[in-house]
Amino acid sequence: MKDNNNTIAGWVLFAGIVALGGSLAAGTYFKAERPEKMGYPIAGVVEEGAGGAEADKPIEFYLASADPAKGAEVFKKCQACHTINQGGANGLGPNLYHVIGEPVGQGRGFAWSDALSGKGGNWDFATLNEWLKSPKTFAPGTKMTFAGLSAPEDRANVIAYLNQNSPSPLPMPAAPAAGEAPAAGAPADGAAGDKAAAEADDANAQKAANEPVLTEQQAAKGGMANVRGEGAPNVSAAGTTAPPAPKK
């Protein structure tokens, strides 16, 4: 009985060794590598990090159509740390009533981080946009843990909501006009300028070809200019017309 148990244990051990060896051999032969492109492409879907995403327009473009009511909805993400009612208490963050126009990182009875208290300037539409987009980028070292609002429309709506919660809200800026067209007669780019210069050269060359030609004898006699055309009248510099030169 004891010999049978030893035999079974030996075979089990042998089988384990064989299995381990096979696994190592298979791992060496069938080497797994990360594919260059994961998964299968799907039509109409842009990969993360790929180009083609439209860049943000100036914040004034979004502020021109910003909606404070939508901003109030987005602001709910901030209510865990901030109040916005007049005379409201500070929480983990300062009260934000009438924040636009106030110094950045100053006053309000709040213990500001050095990152913000040393920033300088006032909270205006532009600084609020940069702050809401990425607090850690705007003020590295800030205590604020909120990652930011990536959508410019959300930032514009929140700014409009903050502006509304003020005793004297500022007027929203108008959307910036599109780039002005080049002035009349001015080339739009280098290629157009080269084309205009070439056309001017051609015009000058054509003008020179149509001008009267002076012969050496006429030039010696005071600059008489004749039109050298067969059968055409000779015109002198004085304006008199002579009969056409006879054909030879």
Side-chain angles (χ1 to χ4, degrees), residues 186-199:
D189 51 33
D194 294 342
K195 182 178 179 181
E199 291 176 351

Side-chain angles (χ1 to χ4, degrees), residues 108-123:
R108 297 182 175 265
F110 184 76
W112 300 91
S113 65
D114 293 339
L116 273 179
S117 62
K119 188 71 178 179
N122 295 331
W123 290 116

